[in-house]
Amino acid sequence: MKSAAQTVADVASGASSANEELDRSLGAIRARNDELNVFLYVDEVGARRQADAVDEKVRRGEDPGVLAGVPIAIKDNLCQRGIPTTCSSRILEGWRPPYSATVIERLLAAGAVPVGKTNLDEFAMGSSTENSAFGPTKNPLDPTRVPGGSSGGSAASVAADMTPIALGSDTGGSIRQPAALCGVIGVKPTYGLVSRYGLIAFASSLDQIGPFAKDVRDAAILLEAIAGHDEMDSTSLPEPAPSLSAHVDDGVAGKRIGLVRDLVDGADDEVVDAVEGAAQVLRDAGATIVEMSIPEFRLGLSAYYILAPAEASSNLARYDGVRYGLRVDADDVTAMNEATRTAGFGDEVKRRIMLGTYALSAGYFDAYYGQALKVRTMMIDAFARAYRDVDLLLGATTPSVAFKLGSKVSDPMAMYLSDIFTIPTNLSGEAAVSVPFGTGEAGLPTAVQLLGPARSEARLFAAARILEIAEGR
Amino acid sequence: MSSPLRRDDVAHVAKLARLTLSSAELDMFTEQLGQVLEHANDMSSLNLEGVKPTAHPFELLNVVRADEIRASLDRDEVLAMAPDAQDGRFAVPRIMGEAP
């Protein structure tokens, strides 16, 4: 499939049009969506209207925008005015948001064409997209396997050439892990770089919106288009979007990159091979690879599965059958709240709400939540110590290639371990990228993860680009 | 903190979280939540005396905007999405019980 960058060039020059690009995207969706369950909703009318507006700008000789005519898939936990937004939950079925997320507004202003809403694990809680109330998404590379999660639909849309780019959200790895399992680029930006206004909250201190793309340059262009301060999100960084795409070819000469044992140990051999292969490529490109251990990372999973559920238990208290979505009638309001939540939430969401409620409850607060907050500080300090010595870190994104549908869904703890290498970056609020690198079992893609300090996206993209070139992309 | 969770704890937490669980669900969640809490026990052995807790990745100061009137969401549009609305307000079943 044509890259986003090429699409923009073609649309702007008249070699193609936004409508032609949209036709191609809708055709690809029609061809495989029944099989793969990538899109929960395709907004053909809205997409056509936006494509017409872009084509009209080109005809008039106006600037059609940095993403002119590029079809994009939107994870269905991002609000788009008037378009069903479900979080893959029965509790929001039928809800049409009265406003759009800031990222949607910025995409439209940049000339991108949102084509529809993609499947996810309910409320972004999961690592396989099997926790969707609307059925699992299947991996386009092997439909007997999961695409990863929670942004599995968005990753699959790019992998299946339905759209060249997509948006997801990453709370503990929900962009990077599905990107790895689907063989595409996935970016978890620095916390606050992208406004969360209109992202339905899961764990607010960890959630961050980010890009999926086929190549590094497209990821950089997309991130530039959506980043930058937004007064509607008081946690958004008070600064304009950084320049990223101009630095994609900066290379890694002279950079020091830490190969972190704790982000590799425990992974399957083929994943370990990929990380070591990537280290060699970066070394050949002029970087110095420093072997290091950051044992604090091993505590990340424990801290995360206290902190994220704690925040979720509070954030999801709003689904009470009063203001939006499902209501199950009952005699009084408390019974109505309880009947609604019991019918509306799936098992994984219930697990996390109860876990968080427990961790925050009297008598357990200090032992679990309080302790996890301190481990989060340890994690931040451990990253900071590492970045005094090196510019970036390298490790695996996830321990294995895409696993079989159904293989982990009844064992939550096994599923949670999929996120063991991605969680530390969410806890520190820093940046990381998953890059497809190498091939594993059954010809499925393996991936590596590059991690950097806050605001290091340009450096991460430059390193990711070196790996991409080595893979012949 | 070994075997940290009992069935009664889960029943209590479900009540706090406004969730109804069947007996089979109580058994399942007790086991599954217990596994996660058991995993979390690797934090309990750490001596974190004096470590500052972090609730948010970056130091944030209060963010305020100018106190001026601006358009907000349209009330009718918002209420149109509510399960029940009446007289420009969200409507719910009765809150108070019958007088004793």
Side-chain angles (χ1 to χ4, degrees), chain A residues 306-307 359 364-375, chain B residues 48 53-54:
Chain A
I306 297 299
L307 296 176
Y364 302 101
F365 184 94
D366 290 337
Y368 290 110
Y369 187 69
Q371 196 78 350
L373 290 178
K374 291 180 176 181
V375 169
Chain B
L48 300 179
T54 301

Side-chain angles (χ1 to χ4, degrees), chain B residues 46-66:
Chain B
L46 300 170
N47 180 3
L48 300 179
E49 198 68 36
V51 177
K52 230 177 72 190
T54 301
H56 195 274
F58 303 125
E59 298 280 338
L60 282 175
L61 300 173
N62 287 335
V63 178
V64 294
R65 69 163 172 83

Side-chain angles (χ1 to χ4, degrees), chain A residues 233-248:
Chain A
D233 174 5
S234 59
T235 64
S236 82
L237 295 171
E239 58 207 36
S243 167
L244 300 172
S245 55
H247 296 285
V248 164

Side-chain angles (χ1 to χ4, degrees), chain A residues 14 79 227 299:
Chain A
C79 291
L299 295 164

Side-chain angles (χ1 to χ4, degrees), chain A residues 231 302 327 338 342 351 377, chain B residues 20 32 42 52 54 70 91:
Chain A
E231 65 171 17
S302 291
R327 172 181 295 185
E338 189 162 321
T342 299
R351 262 192 290 279
T377 307
Chain B
T20 311
Q32 291 171 340
D42 63 5
K52 230 177 72 190
T54 301
R70 294 190 205 175

Side-chain angles (χ1 to χ4, degrees), chain A residues 1 145 181 389 460:
Chain A
M1 179 162 199
R145 294 172 191 262
L181 301 196
D389 181 33
L460 286 168

Side-chain angles (χ1 to χ4, degrees), chain B residues 3-95:
Chain B
S3 179
L5 201 66
R6 293 175 322 235
R7 207 167 179 274
D8 287 353
D9 296 324
V10 177
H12 176 63
V13 162
K15 193 171 148 58
L16 292 176
R18 299 271 192 273
L19 295 168
T20 311
L21 301 183
S22 69
S23 179
E25 285 175 323
L26 258 179
D27 290 338
M28 175 184 79
F29 286 129
T30 302
E31 190 195 331
Q32 291 171 340
L33 300 184
Q35 283 170 5
V36 181
L37 291 174
E38 212 165 294
H39 196 277
N41 280 345
D42 63 5
M43 296 189 296
S44 62
S45 56
L46 300 170
N47 180 3
L48 300 179
E49 198 68 36
V51 177
K52 230 177 72 190
T54 301
H56 195 274
F58 303 125
E59 298 280 338
L60 282 175
L61 300 173
N62 287 335
V63 178
V64 294
R65 69 163 172 83
D67 183 16
E68 55 199 25
I69 295 170
R70 294 190 205 175
S72 61
L73 298 178
D74 181 79
R75 189 173 70 178
D76 292 339
E77 203 179 341
V78 170
L79 289 175
M81 281 292 122
D84 192 12
Q86 206 180 304
D87 304 330
R89 299 175 175 85
F90 297 110
V92 295
R94 70 191 168 98
I95 290 173

Side-chain angles (χ1 to χ4, degrees), chain A residues 37-182:
Chain A
N37 198 26
V38 171
F39 283 85
L40 298 176
Y41 184 84
V42 178
D43 178 26
E44 216 168 318
V45 173
R48 193 61 72 188
R49 196 185 315 123
Q50 170 74 354
D52 285 344
V54 170
D55 287 339
E56 181 59 25
K57 277 192 175 172
V58 173
R59 253 193 308 278
R60 286 196 201 144
E62 294 168 19
D63 176 6
V66 294
L67 288 170
V70 182
I72 182 167
I74 308 294
K75 187 179 186 180
D76 200 26
N77 60 352
L78 289 162
C79 291
Q80 189 173 353
R81 186 185 169 99
I83 302 297
T85 298
T86 66
C87 280
S88 289
S89 181
R90 294 276 176 218
I91 213 157
L92 275 175
E93 209 173 357
W95 183 59
R96 292 174 184 256
Y99 69 102
S100 286
T102 296
V103 290
I104 298 285
E105 301 286 7
R106 290 187 181 177
L107 287 175
L108 293 173
V113 179
V115 294
K117 310 297 290 292
T118 58
N119 202 10
L120 63 148
D121 287 295
E122 187 177 359
F123 284 102
M125 298 175 185
S127 309
S128 69
T129 316
E130 291 168 295
N131 294 332
S132 168
F134 308 115
T137 295
K138 292 168 184 168
N139 192 316
L141 307 175
D142 175 353
T144 68
R145 294 172 191 262
V146 303
S150 66
S151 313
S154 285
S157 177
V158 175
D161 289 335
M162 292 172 168
T163 56
I165 51 175
L167 284 185
S169 64
D170 191 315
T171 305
S174 279
I175 291 173
R176 290 161 287 161
Q177 186 258 13
L181 301 196
C182 288

